[in-house]
């Protein structure tokens, strides 16, 4: 049997990493909460549970409010909050899986669900959700995104929010140029060209060429091609001729209607560049909305859902979905579930997402009054729930997805922008890697 370089590299790395993590965990001590694979117990539904926040610092205050509300409603349960920076969270969980010390509950996003579930550390939540008042109250596309991200066999995380992709545009610049709102891809390209005056350092668009570029490029690509599935059987659709044509057109924007600095810009540099005031449009997510309000107020820009394609339909790749999972090693799963259920209830989910500026997972919360005051969130919530948007699920479940979408192909996408690599060659290479990773994953599943 042929063993791929990817698999061999991954296996060797996993063994070395596992040993290192085990030593680290032993040195730090085990707090008794268990390690990956421990079966745990339902417990009494009372007592203490530990919650790890995967975006500590940024979301600490709002989570402490939710916890205070929960403890008031459930005086026989105490929640210990542990805030962990998003950049450190995955490694801390991996360490605890190897050596012990996992919490009862923790943040589990779409991008991390597969790797944690593969280590037998997460409790399937389908059965509990089916018996819960939450059943039928959660945004279906968010639930599907998290289930797909975990491999599709079980739901390992209950969604809290979606940080949806948004097309921000300068309403004042569009009005002055007599341009239509960029609700279609044709209008987007027209505006990008008309708003550009390189002599005056004015550009129609800023394209993401640095870290995180692949997801944005795929979003623009599938949005234009209208292809609604990432897979056709066991073969990826990324290099479909329609996607190749779409990426060629999108990549050709670089330096023609975008700043040259875009080649190396990650989201922080891209957002800061747009907020400087000389660029017409920006693709990012809801997370940067408040930065734009500080830069322009609320009357000089709008944030709208991604443009629709020639078919009149909107197609987007899976938006970043955040959620809460239960660790299998928890000795108090009934209390842990009570917390998850409470945190994603209408009132608490609304409170959380009003603070975070993201789309609530609870469909009742998505109708609350504050949504009307945060237009990008309102429009994103509508697009996700009114049937106008088709979501192409990215294969977060593939063990190699992180490597393929970052270190293997971000440099190649820069070559496409520079004209040193064709869009077809780039996508054919990406497709070959994805098809191999998919075949390996299916083989491992048996």
């Amino acid at each position: 049997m042929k063993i791929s370089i990817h698999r061999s590299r991954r296996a060797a790395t996993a063994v070395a990493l596992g040993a290192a993590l085990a030593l680290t965990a032993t040195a730090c001590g085990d707090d008794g909460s268990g390690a990956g694979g421990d079966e745990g117990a339902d417990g009494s539904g009372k007592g203490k549970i530990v919650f790890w926040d995967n975006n500590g610092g940024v979301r600490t205050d709002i989570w402490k409010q939710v916890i205070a509300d929960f403890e008031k409603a459930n005086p026989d349960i105490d929640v210990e909050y542990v805030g962990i920076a998003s950049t450190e969270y995955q490694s801390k969980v991996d360490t605890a899986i190897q050596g012990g010390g996992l919490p009862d509950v923790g943040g589990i996003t779409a991008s991390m669900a597969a790797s944690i579930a593969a280590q037998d550390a997460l409790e399937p939540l389908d059965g509990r959700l089916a018996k819960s008042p939450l059943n039928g109250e959660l945004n279906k596309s968010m639930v599907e995104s998290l289930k797909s991200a975990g491999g599709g066999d079980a739901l390992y995380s209950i969604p809290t929010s979606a940080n949806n992709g948004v097309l921000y545009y300068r309403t004042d610049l569009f009005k002055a140029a007599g341009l239509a709102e960029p609700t279609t891809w044709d209008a987007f390209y027209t505006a990008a060209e008309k708003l550009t005056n390189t002599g005056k350092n004015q550009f129609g668009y800023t394209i993401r060429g640095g870290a995180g570029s692949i997801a944005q490029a795929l979003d623009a690509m599938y949005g234009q091609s209208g292809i609604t599935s990432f897979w056709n059987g066991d073969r990826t659709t990324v290099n479909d001729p329609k996607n190749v044509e779409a990426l060629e057109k999108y990549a050709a924007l670089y330096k023609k209607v975008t700043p040259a600095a875009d080649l190396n810009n990650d989201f922080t540099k891209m957002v800061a560049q747009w907020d400087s005031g000389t660029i017409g449009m920006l693709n990012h997510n809801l997370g940067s909305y408040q930065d734009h309000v500080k830069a322009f107020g609320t009357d000089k820009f709008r944030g709208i859902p991604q443009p629709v394609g020639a078919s009149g339909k909107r197609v987007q790749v899976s938006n970043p979905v955040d959620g809460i999972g239960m660790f299998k090693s928890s000795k108090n799963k009934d209390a842990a579930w009570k917390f998850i259920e409470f945190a994603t209830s209408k009132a608490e989910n609304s409170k959380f997402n009003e603070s975070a500026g993201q789309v609530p997972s609870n469909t009742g919360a998505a109708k609350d009054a504050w949504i009307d005051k945060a237009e990008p969130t309102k429009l994103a919530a509508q697009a996700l729930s009114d049937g106008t948007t088709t979501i192409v699920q990215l294969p977060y479940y593939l063990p190699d997805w992180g490597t393929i979408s970052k270190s293997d192909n971000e440099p190649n996408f820069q070559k496409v922008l520079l004209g040193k690599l064709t869009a077809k060659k780039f996508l054919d290479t990406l497709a070959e890697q994805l098809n191999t990773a998919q075949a390996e994953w299916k083989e491992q599943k048996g």
Side-chain angles (χ1 to χ4, degrees):
M1 180 178 67
K2 181 181 178 181
I3 299 176
S4 75
I5 294 173
H6 270 305
R7 179 185 290 183
S8 301
R9 178 179 64 188
R10 189 167 65 244
T13 302
V15 171
L17 179 61
L21 291 176
L23 289 172
T24 303
T26 303
C28 294
D30 184 343
D31 70 0
S33 300
D38 291 357
E39 290 301 318
D42 287 340
S44 65
K46 302 177 181 180
K48 176 185 172 182
I49 59 172
V50 178
F51 167 60
W52 282 7
D53 174 11
N54 61 304
N55 201 0
V58 177
R59 303 281 182 253
T60 296
D61 289 345
I62 186 57
W63 270 121
K64 286 189 173 181
Q65 290 181 43
V66 172
I67 289 169
D69 291 346
F70 174 76
E71 291 179 337
K72 184 176 180 180
N74 298 270
D76 52 359
I77 302 176
D78 293 321
V79 180
E80 179 184 336
Y81 170 87
V82 180
I84 302 169
S86 60
T87 54
E88 301 172 4
Y89 187 80
Q90 180 82 55
S91 63
K92 186 170 178 66
V93 170
D94 288 340
T95 299
I97 289 172
Q98 295 294 325
L102 284 168
D104 300 276
V105 185
I108 302 294
T109 66
S111 61
M112 67 177 72
S115 64
I116 298 176
Q119 298 176 78
D120 198 26
L122 292 174
E123 180 81 4
L125 299 175
D126 308 74
R128 291 181 186 269
L129 179 60
K131 300 174 184 177
S132 169
L134 282 176
N135 192 28
E137 299 299 316
L138 299 175
N139 184 289
K140 291 181 180 179
S141 70
M142 294 189 202
V143 173
E144 178 56 34
S145 287
L146 284 174
K147 190 163 186 174
S148 173
D153 295 329
L155 180 66
Y156 293 108
S157 182
I158 301 299
T160 56
S161 55
N163 198 6
N164 215 47
V166 176
L167 178 61
Y168 293 104
Y169 75 97
R170 290 283 302 278
T171 51
D172 54 341
L173 300 181
F174 271 68
K175 184 178 179 180
L179 288 165
E181 187 175 49
T183 55
T184 68
W185 281 102
D186 285 344
F188 165 83
Y189 281 107
T190 297
E193 187 170 345
K194 192 165 184 180
L195 290 174
T196 298
N197 186 333
T198 54
K200 294 184 177 180
N201 200 38
Q202 296 172 353
F203 300 94
Y205 183 59
T206 173
I207 195 168
R208 189 167 180 171
S213 62
I214 302 302
Q216 181 171 304
L218 292 177
D219 202 18
M221 190 173 79
Y222 278 93
Q224 293 172 80
S225 73
I227 295 171
T228 57
S229 176
F230 197 82
W231 299 102
N232 182 9
D234 290 330
R235 311 291 292 179
T236 182
T237 59
V238 294
N239 61 336
D240 183 282
K242 291 182 180 178
N243 276 334
V244 173
E245 181 182 359
L247 187 62
E248 286 173 344
K249 189 172 183 181
Y250 183 70
L253 294 173
Y254 175 64
K255 286 184 73 174
K256 180 182 176 184
V257 299
T258 79
D262 282 357
L263 183 69
N264 296 302
N265 279 355
D266 59 10
F267 84 90
T268 54
K269 293 176 182 175
M270 184 178 66
V271 167
Q273 185 173 257
W274 194 69
D275 287 344
S276 69
T278 61
I279 302 173
M281 294 179 291
L282 161 76
N283 267 121
H284 193 233
N285 56 47
L286 293 167
S288 61
Y289 175 67
Q290 292 300 332
D291 292 322
H292 310 323
V293 172
K294 291 176 184 177
F296 305 117
T298 57
D299 59 343
K300 291 184 179 180
F301 80 98
R302 288 190 76 196
I304 62 175
Q306 298 286 42
V308 299
S311 67
K313 302 281 188 178
R314 179 180 297 107
V315 178
Q316 291 184 228
V317 299
S318 44
N319 43 286
V321 178
D322 208 345
I324 317 175
M326 183 191 304
F327 288 93
K328 184 181 285 189
S329 60
S330 170
K331 304 298 191 294
N332 203 350
K333 292 177 183 175
D334 285 350
W337 175 252
K338 287 180 183 178
F339 177 69
I340 293 173
E341 201 173 44
F342 184 87
T344 50
S345 66
K346 178 182 181 297
E348 298 302 316
N349 191 240
S350 180
K351 179 184 293 186
F352 176 85
N353 282 289
E354 182 176 9
S355 172
Q358 297 179 174
V359 180
S361 61
N362 190 293
T363 54
K367 299 174 184 176
D368 280 354
W370 68 267
I371 295 279
D372 288 327
K373 300 175 184 177
E375 187 187 40
T377 304
K378 175 184 177 181
L379 296 176
Q382 288 176 348
L384 286 176
S385 60
D386 65 7
T388 62
T389 302
T390 299
I391 302 296
V392 176
Q393 299 292 345
L394 295 179
Y396 292 121
Y397 59 85
L398 293 178
D400 281 335
W401 170 249
T403 301
I404 291 171
S405 64
K406 290 195 68 65
S407 57
D408 281 0
N409 282 290
E410 285 181 354
N412 283 342
F413 182 63
Q414 289 180 321
K415 292 179 182 177
V416 175
L417 296 180
L418 291 170
K420 297 181 179 179
L421 184 68
T422 66
K424 185 178 187 307
K425 178 63 176 175
F426 168 74
L427 292 175
D428 283 345
T429 300
L430 177 60
E432 183 180 358
Q433 293 169 336
L434 288 165
N435 291 335
T436 299
Q438 175 78 350
E440 290 181 356
W441 177 76
K442 292 194 75 170
E443 182 181 340
Q444 289 165 4
K445 286 191 69 177

